[in-house]
Every structure is written in structure tokens, then in C-alpha cells.
Amino acid sequence: MNLILDFLFPKRCVGCKKLDTYFCQDCISNILQTDLVCPRCEKLAVGGQTHPICKRRYGLDGLWSLGIYQGSLREAIKQLKYGRVRGLTEALVDILIEYWVKYQPFVLDQIKKDQGAGWAIIPIPLHWWRGNDRGFNQSSLIGQILSKKLGLDYCDGLKRIRYTKSQVKLKGQQRKQNIFNAFAISPNIPISKSPNILLIDDVWTTGSTLRECCYILKRHGAKKVWAVTLAR
Ligand SMILES: [Zn+2]
Ligand SMILES: [Zn+2]
């Protein structure tokens, strides 16, 4: 099956369409890595750590994103929504880890220091809205690959319990209301074993989904929760 697909859809760079690569070196170097921001006020923050003054009991402890949602990174993320994406997702996770190690690896250093103990990776559950009706959860695939490469536990620890409208056309406050109480925690989630969590999504837009998921996790005993996204 893969052979036929490879024949019909040869591997091409998502940015410049060059053959035999999912993401060529030129397009990788065009990913815009701007400074990291605090997940609460979205102003510059060293390492993406939440400013001490922005810390909230059930709030995120930090945000790490690979780059800005534009150009080839945006193209890649769009393609993730449509099947046949394992190779591209692996390429993106490799790039993510490479950048992560290179630039302000605060949370990564912390994980290394803990030797991975107490940390787990949890994806944002499937977005139900239009544009992704194939039932494929790209955040889950990103999370699974990342967990293997970092040697961390992976867990589908959250589920959607309520239908939510597409966030795309909603404004900040509406997004927050739309997503409120939309998630629940799975009974098998190992929070006592892994109280520190990397919460994975493909894009940080207003952060309302990631904040809401963090809230649920912390209400159930999570200690540190970082959001990690491909783009913002
Ligand atoms: Zn390219
Ligand atoms: Zn802040």
C-alpha cells in the first residue's frame, strides 16, 4: 500500500516541493523562531516560562512552540490534518527536538534532570470540527512520536465530553466559553506516577483549549503542566 502511495504521491518538501524529503534544509531554516512567550500574558518570557506574576494555581507553567504559524511550517501543519502523515510528523518532531535543544531548553533541561521520571505526554483530544472530520488526531501522533524520542510515558489522558463549535470564527472570550467544561480526564491517567505533563497541540492560537485542559489536569493533581505546540 505504501509503495503505491509513494508512487502516486512522491515524498516532497512541504515548503518548496523539492523531491525526496518532507522538509528540506532550506525550508527548515526558514522556520521563524521568535522569542518565546508567557502562556498567560503572551509577552516575552525566558524559556517560555510563565512569569512569576502570571502564575495561577491551575494555570500553565510554560509554553514552548517551534515557530510562527506561517510559510512552510503552516503548510506542514495543514497537511498533518489529511492522512498519510507519519513521515512528515516524524520530520517535524525531529526539527522540534533539534530547535528545542538549541534554543532555551528550560523545560527540556528540567526533564533531563528528572531523567524523565514523573513526566508524561498528553495530547489535546481530537478536534471535532470541520476540516478534520476524518477522525485523525494529529496532536496524538505528534505526542506519541515525541514520547518515544524523549523516552517519556504517553497517555491519552483527556477526552472531549461535549460538542464544541469550531474555534476559528470565535473571539477570545467566546472561545473560552465555547471550550469551558468540554473536557474530562480519563480514569486510567497516571497522575500520581507522572504529575508533570507536556500537553501537546499542533497550534497555539488563543490558548483557550490548552488552558482549559491544563485546568482539568491540575484540578486532578497535576503539578507542572507545559504546553508544547508546533506553531503559534
Ligand atoms: Zn523545501
Ligand atoms: Zn506573563
Side-chain angles (χ1 to χ4, degrees):
M1 187 62 180
N2 272 339
L3 277 176
I4 298 169
L5 283 170
D6 285 341
F7 176 73
L8 290 173
F9 307 100
K11 202 198 267 185
R12 280 178 188 279
C13 172
V14 286
C16 64
K17 311 287 177 234
K18 195 159 92 186
L19 275 169
D20 291 328
T21 173
Y22 288 109
F23 224 119
C24 80
Q25 216 48 52
D26 287 342
C27 290
I28 289 174
S29 54
N30 282 337
I31 291 175
L32 256 191
Q33 241 290 342
T34 62
D35 293 308
L36 298 170
V37 298
C38 162
R40 185 172 166 91
C41 68
E42 302 193 55
K43 297 197 176 107
L44 293 186
V46 178
Q49 291 176 82
T50 303
H51 297 125
I53 200 175
C54 293
K55 284 254 185 203
R56 293 297 178 272
R57 191 169 169 202
Y58 300 121
L60 285 163
D61 296 281
L63 163 64
W64 200 92
S65 305
L66 170 61
I68 297 295
Y69 189 60
Q70 61 157 46
S72 49
L73 185 56
R74 178 168 144 181
E75 201 43 53
I77 289 167
K78 278 187 181 164
Q79 287 198 17
L80 290 191
K81 291 188 163 65
Y82 303 97
R84 200 170 171 265
V85 290
R86 192 164 182 106
L88 176 60
T89 310
E90 278 195 2
L92 278 165
V93 171
D94 282 340
I95 300 166
L96 186 149
I97 293 174
E98 202 188 308
Y99 269 64
W100 205 349
V101 171
K102 234 197 260 174
Y103 302 103
Q104 306 181 322
F106 178 81
V107 70
L108 208 51
D109 282 348
Q110 187 66 51
I111 295 169
K112 263 193 220 148
K113 219 191 271 166
D114 299 341
Q115 298 184 321
W119 286 86
I121 286 181
I122 295 179
I124 297 294
L126 185 62
H127 301 283
W128 284 347
W129 47 77
R130 205 160 55 87
N132 192 358
D133 41 25
R134 296 168 177 234
F136 169 71
N137 184 358
Q138 63 269 29
S139 304
S140 153
L141 185 57
I142 297 165
Q144 284 168 30
I145 295 173
L146 192 61
S147 78
K148 262 191 210 132
K149 300 207 181 219
L150 295 180
L152 302 181
D153 287 339
Y154 168 89
C155 172
D156 282 306
L158 294 163
K159 52 183 189 231
R160 248 169 232 269
I161 50 170
R162 184 166 72 69
Y163 180 79
T164 50
K165 285 187 265 183
S166 166
Q167 296 275 79
V168 175
K169 291 200 176 115
L170 302 178
K171 299 236 158 54
Q173 192 58 28
Q174 291 173 313
R175 284 187 182 220
K176 215 170 153 183
Q177 280 164 6
N178 184 37
I179 216 80
F180 182 68
N181 272 342
F183 302 96
I185 208 154
S186 301
N188 58 347
I189 186 170
I191 282 191
S192 50
K193 182 181 161 242
S194 305
N196 303 320
I197 289 155
L198 298 179
L199 202 50
I200 310 294
D201 206 357
D202 53 355
V203 186
W204 171 279
T205 312
T206 63
S208 45
T209 306
L210 283 147
R211 286 193 196 104
E212 177 68 17
C213 288
C214 170
Y215 176 81
I216 303 282
L217 289 167
K218 286 205 164 174
R219 287 297 301 257
H220 286 82
K223 286 207 176 103
K224 278 181 214 150
V225 181
W226 271 68
V228 176
T229 67
L230 291 176
R232 73 169 170 86

